[in-house]
C-alpha cells in the first residue's frame, strides 16, 4: 500500500497572481489536471504570491474565476506567502552547507556591471570569495545582503536534466549566473520558493510552460542544494499568435484571457478540448473529446515540442477550430443543460427579464418566471444547430421573446416562385391572407400546421417553398430562421396571426 502511494504522481499548478488568467496558464492547469487524473494522482493548487509588488487581488480573483469556470477541481491548496519561513530556513540550510554566499553589493550594481564585464556567472567574485568570517561580521553589523547560489564552476561542469518533452537538457555550469535565493529585503526569490515548495509538497512532475525551461537549470541546482531529488520536468510548447509571437495581452488583446471565451459563450468542455489540441496530440488524432476521454488518453509522450499556433484575426476573433468544437459540444448537451447555460445570455441581452435582486446567472433561483424558462426550453432545440457560440443565441432567437419584431424589409416577404420566376407583392399578400384564414382554424401543433399549410399552398397552386417564405418572414422577421412549424408552435397562434396581419400591412407600403 505505501509503495503504491509513493508512486502516485503529485503535480501542481502554481500561478503568480500578477495578471488575469491567460489561456496558456489554463492549458498548463488542464495538462496537470489530466496527468493527475489519468494516473490517479494528486492535483495541487499553489498560489505563487511572493512577489508582493506585482501581486493584485484582482488577479487572484481572475485566476479563481477562470478555474471555477473550467470546472476542474484540485485536491490540495497552498499559498506561498504563508510558507516564507520554510523558504528562508531552506536558504539558511543551503548557506550553511557552503552552497550559497552573502552578496553585500546593492542588487542593482551587482547585476548590471559585473555580468556585462566578466560573464554572467561572475556576478561579484569579491562577494563569492568573501570569507565566512567577514561575511558573518558584515551581516551582524546589519549590512543588507542578497543570498546567492554558489553555482559550481570549472570547465566541463554541466547542469543537466531530462525533460519529458524536450529530452536531454544540458548547459555548462559556467553559463549559469550566481542567482539570488534571497533578496536584500530578506524575501525569497521565485526560484527558491518554487523549489522549496516543490520539494516539501513532494511534487513528482513539474508540468509548466516552455518559458521556464531555462529557469530549470537553476532549479536543478537548488534541488541539489536542498539534498532533494528533482521532480521530473515536462515543459509545454508555447502558445503563439499566427505571426509566431508569443501570445500576450499587450499585443493580442482579449483573445489571451480565459474569461473572454466564457463571455463569448464557449462552454468549458469545448474550451478545454480546444486547449488540449494546442501542443498535445492523442494517439488516434481525435479532435472532439470530452473530459473523460481526454483523461483516458492524456500522456506526456503525446506533448509536442513545436509552438502551438492559436489562429485568430480581426475578422475571426477566435480560432475557427475552437468555434467549431464549441458548436459540436453544444450539440451533445441535454436540452435542459444547454438551456440553463443559455439563460444568462438571454437575460444579458434583455430578452428575458429577471428580478434585479437575484443573480442572473442562476436559473433555479434567479427570479425568472416559469413561462420564460419554458419558452427557452422549447427554443433551445430549435436554435442549437444554428449557433456555435452561446453569445450568438439571443440574435438567433430574439423574435421568440420580443413582443414587437425588429423592423425588416417588406421585400423579404415576396417569395421566389421557382429558380427563374420571382413573385410579387400581390402574391405575397395572397399567401398571407390565405394563411391567416387557414391558421385561424388550425390547432397549433406540428402535424396540423404541416398539413394545413401544405393544403393551403395547393389551394393557391403553389409549391411549399413560395407558400412558406412569406409566412416565415412574417412571423420571424427574417428568411433565415429555424424550422417553420416548430417555430410557429412556440410562438403560438395569437402572435403568429398578429405578425401575419402586420406583414400584410407592410406589403401595402411597397
Ligand atoms: N509562478 C510561476 C508562474 O506563474 C510558476 C512557474 C512554475 O510552474 O514553476 O509562471
Amino acid at each position: 500500500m505505501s509503495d503504491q502511494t509513493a508512486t502516485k504522481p503529485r503535480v501542481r499548478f502554481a500561478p503568480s497572481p500578477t495578471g488575469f488568467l491567460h489561456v496558456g496558464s489554463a492549458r498548463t492547469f488542464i495538462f496537470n489536471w489530466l496527468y493527475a487524473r489519468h494516473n490517479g494522482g494528486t492535483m495541487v493548487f499553489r498560489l505563487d504570491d511572493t512577489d508582493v509588488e506585482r501581486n493584485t487581488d484582482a488577479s487572484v480573483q481572475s485566476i479563481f474565476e477562470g478555474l471555477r469556470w473550467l470546472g476542474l477541481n484540485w485536491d490540495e491548496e497552498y499559498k506561498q506567502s504563508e510558507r516564507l519561513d520554510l523558504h528562508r530556513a531552506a536558504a539558511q540550510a543551503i548557506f550553511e552547507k557552503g552552497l550559497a554566499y552573502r552578496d553585500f553589493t546593492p542588487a542593482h550594481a551587482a547585476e548590471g556591471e559585473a555580468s556585462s564585464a566578466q560573464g554572467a556567472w561572475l556576478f561579484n567574485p569579491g562577494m563569492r570569495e568573501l570569507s565566512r568570517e567577514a561575511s558573518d561580521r558584515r551581516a551582524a553589523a546589519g549590512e543588507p545582503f542578497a543570498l546567492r547560489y554558489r553555482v559550481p564552476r570549472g570547465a566541463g561542469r554541466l547542469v543537466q536534466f531530462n525533460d519529458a518533452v524536450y529530452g536531454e537538457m544540458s548547459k555548462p555550469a559556467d553559463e549559469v549566473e550566481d542567482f539570488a535565493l534571497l533578496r536584500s529585503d530578506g524575501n525569497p526569490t521565485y526560484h527558491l520558493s518554487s523549489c522549496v515548495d516543490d520539494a516539501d509538497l513532494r511534487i513528482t512532475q513539474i508540468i509548466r510552460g516552455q518559458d521556464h525551461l531555462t529557469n530549470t537549470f537553476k532549479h536543478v541546482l537548488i534541488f541539489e542544494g536542498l539534498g532533494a531529488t528533482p521532480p521530473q520536468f515536462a515543459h509545454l510548447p508555447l502558445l503563439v499568435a499566427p505571426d509566431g509571437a508569443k501570445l500576450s495581452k499587450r499585443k493580442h488583446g482579449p483573445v489571451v484571457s480565459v474569461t473572454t471565451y466564457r463571455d463569448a459563450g464557449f462552454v468549458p468542455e469545448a474550451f478545454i478540448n480546444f486547449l488540449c489540441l494546442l501542443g498535445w496530440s492523442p494517439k488516434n488524432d481525435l479532435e472532439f473529446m470530452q473530459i473523460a476521454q481526454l483523461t483516458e488518453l492524456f500522456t506526456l509522450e503525446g506533448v509536442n515540442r513545436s509552438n502551438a499556433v492559436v489562429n485568430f484575426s480581426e475578422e475571426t476573433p477566435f480560432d475557427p477550430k475552437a468555434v467549431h468544437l464549441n458548436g459540436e459540444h453544444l450539440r451533445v448537451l441535454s436540452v435542459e443543460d444547454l438551456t440553463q447555460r443559455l439563460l444568462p445570455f438571454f437575460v444579458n441581452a434583455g430578452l428575458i427579464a429577471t428580478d434585479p435582486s437575484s443573480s442572473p446567472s442562476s436559473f433555479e433561483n434567479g427570479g425568472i418566471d416559469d413561462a420564460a424558462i419554458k419558452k427557452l426550453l422549447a427554443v433551445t432545440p430549435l436554435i442549437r444547430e444554428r449557433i456555435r457560440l452561446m453569445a450568438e443565441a439571443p440574435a438567433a432567437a430574439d423574435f421568440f421573446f420580443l413582443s414587437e419584431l425588429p423592423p425588416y424589409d417588406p421585400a423579404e416577404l415576396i417569395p421566389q416562385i421557382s429558380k427563374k420566376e420571382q413573385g410579387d407583392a400581390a402574391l405575397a399578400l395572397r399567401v398571407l391572407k390565405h394563411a391567416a384564414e387557414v391558421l385561424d382554424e388550425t390547432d397549433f401543433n406540428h402535424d396540423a400546421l404541416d398539413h394545413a399549410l401544405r393544403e393551403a399552398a395547393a389551394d393557391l397552386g403553389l409549391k411549399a417553398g413560395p407558400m412558406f417564405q412569406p409566412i416565415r418572414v412574417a412571423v420571424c422577421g427574417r428568411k433565415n430562421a429555424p424550422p417553420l412549424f416548430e417555430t410557429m408552435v412556440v410562438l403560438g397562434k395569437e402572435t403568429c396571426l398578429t405578425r401575419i396581419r402586420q406583414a400584410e400591412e407592410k406589403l401595402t407600403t411597397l
Side-chain angles (χ1 to χ4, degrees):
M1 175 69 204
S2 62
D3 271 349
Q4 245 209 340
T5 333
T7 57
K8 291 284 184 207
R10 289 175 58 81
V11 295
R12 80 326 187 250
F13 174 61
S16 303
T18 54
F20 59 95
L21 185 65
H22 186 286
V23 288
S25 301
R27 187 195 54 169
T28 299
F29 175 88
I30 292 164
F31 282 16
N32 274 285
W33 188 93
L34 291 172
Y35 188 83
R37 297 297 176 249
H38 177 93
N39 294 293
T42 302
M43 176 75 192
V44 172
F45 176 92
R46 188 182 79 210
L47 195 66
D48 280 4
D49 58 346
T50 52
D51 190 346
V52 278
E53 269 160 35
R54 294 178 62 224
N55 291 345
T56 64
D57 282 346
S59 168
V60 176
Q61 294 318 318
S62 153
I63 291 168
F64 282 117
E65 197 185 326
L67 295 181
R68 210 175 306 120
W69 176 65
L70 292 183
L72 306 176
N73 56 349
W74 49 89
D75 309 306
E76 296 174 20
E77 186 171 320
Y78 304 92
K79 251 187 180 179
Q80 275 195 328
S81 57
E82 291 168 1
R83 304 166 58 84
L84 296 179
D85 289 346
L86 186 74
H87 307 158
R88 290 194 190 104
Q92 184 63 26
I94 294 174
F95 175 68
E96 293 301 340
K97 288 184 198 167
L99 296 175
Y101 61 90
R102 297 190 187 101
D103 180 350
F104 295 95
T105 328
H108 49 276
E111 275 165 40
E113 294 161 21
S115 59
S116 55
Q118 306 181 44
W121 70 270
L122 286 174
F123 255 99
N124 199 328
M127 289 292 134
R128 185 177 160 114
E129 307 310 334
L130 199 67
S131 72
R132 176 66 195 260
E133 203 199 352
S135 172
D136 286 350
R137 197 172 349 101
R138 289 173 71 168
E143 202 177 325
F145 61 86
L147 192 73
R148 291 193 182 280
Y149 197 90
R150 191 188 296 279
V151 177
R153 303 294 168 201
R157 289 223 48 161
L158 296 172
V159 188
Q160 290 173 302
F161 62 95
N162 187 350
D163 190 89
V165 176
Y166 289 84
E168 283 301 333
M169 300 294 297
S170 168
K171 191 174 191 171
D174 279 354
E175 290 176 18
V176 182
E177 82 262 16
D178 283 356
F179 56 91
L181 298 175
L182 294 178
R183 293 180 224 284
S184 50
D185 60 7
N187 281 323
T189 59
Y190 153 67
H191 300 302
L192 177 72
S193 296
S194 180
C195 295
V196 172
D197 281 343
D198 287 334
D200 184 66
L201 300 172
R202 292 170 288 113
I203 299 301
T204 53
Q205 271 77 22
I206 292 185
I207 304 170
R208 62 183 173 193
Q210 188 255 29
D211 45 339
H212 286 290
L213 198 55
T214 52
N215 286 336
T216 306
F217 293 105
K218 295 176 185 164
H219 297 184
V220 168
L221 290 165
I222 298 179
F223 281 105
E224 211 175 287
L226 294 170
T229 314
Q232 183 187 26
F233 292 96
H235 286 88
L236 308 174
L238 285 185
L239 299 190
V240 295
D243 66 1
K246 188 179 165 195
L247 273 191
S248 83
K249 178 139 188 193
R250 193 175 46 77
K251 263 205 194 138
H252 304 110
V255 71
V256 171
S257 169
V258 170
T259 45
T260 305
Y261 288 79
R262 178 197 64 187
D263 298 344
F266 279 87
V267 288
E269 292 90 332
F271 181 66
I272 291 168
N273 188 168
F274 169 66
L275 286 186
C276 284
L277 299 175
L278 294 173
W280 173 70
S281 335
K283 266 201 187 119
N284 47 17
D285 277 336
L286 277 174
E287 288 220 325
F288 177 88
M289 284 171 279
Q290 300 280 19
I291 299 283
Q293 196 171 18
L294 289 165
T295 307
E296 190 188 316
L297 295 174
F298 187 81
T299 60
L300 291 175
E301 287 78 60
V303 177
N304 334 118
R305 292 181 196 180
S306 38
N307 292 345
V309 182
V310 180
N311 276 307
F312 59 91
S313 63
E314 252 168 56
E315 300 79 58
T316 50
F318 296 109
D319 191 311
K321 186 186 272 185
V323 175
H324 170 76
L325 281 170
N326 200 60
E328 305 233 308
H329 278 274
L330 291 186
R331 262 151 236 151
V332 298
L333 295 176
S334 72
V335 169
E336 289 72 20
D337 187 357
L338 180 54
T339 301
Q340 163 121 26
R341 300 188 202 211
L342 288 173
L343 189 60
F345 290 89
F346 282 84
V347 170
N348 286 339
L351 293 172
I352 292 181
T354 174
D355 173 351
S357 63
S358 56
S359 148
S361 59
S362 157
F363 181 146
E364 290 94 0
N365 53 10
I368 289 162
D369 75 34
D370 283 352
I373 291 180
K374 240 174 111 186
K375 190 187 258 189
L376 190 55
L377 279 166
V379 165
T380 297
L382 303 185
I383 58 164
R384 72 187 314 171
E385 304 289 332
R386 314 179 65 81
I387 58 170
R388 292 173 311 160
L389 298 176
M390 289 192 291
E392 296 163 1
D398 57 356
F399 59 87
F400 285 108
F401 296 91
L402 294 168
S403 46
E404 289 288 322
L405 280 182
Y408 62 89
D409 180 358
E412 302 261 293
L413 292 159
I414 298 173
Q416 188 82 23
I417 298 173
S418 64
K419 261 201 183 128
K420 288 193 195 125
E421 203 185 347
Q422 173 72 26
D424 57 14
L427 174 66
L429 204 55
R430 253 200 333 277
V431 166
L432 292 179
K433 277 197 185 316
H434 189 48
E437 280 163 21
V438 168
L439 291 172
D440 204 21
E441 304 294 316
T442 307
D443 274 349
F444 265 51
N445 65 61
H446 177 280
D447 291 354
L449 287 169
D450 187 336
H451 180 76
L453 290 178
R454 281 180 204 284
E455 221 166 54
D459 295 342
L460 299 178
L462 288 172
K463 289 202 172 122
M467 178 79 199
F468 294 170
Q469 182 185 325
I471 302 172
R472 175 178 292 115
V473 174
V475 299
C476 304
R478 72 200 65 176
K479 278 187 194 156
N480 191 355
L484 182 61
F485 309 133
E486 284 93 335
T487 298
M488 293 175 74
V489 172
V490 175
L491 286 169
K493 187 185 270 194
E494 206 186 307
T495 302
C496 288
L497 287 176
T498 309
R499 290 182 180 178
I500 288 172
R501 284 188 203 110
Q502 287 166 343
E504 288 172 23
E505 267 170 46
K506 277 178 190 282
L507 280 169
T508 60
T509 67
L510 277 183

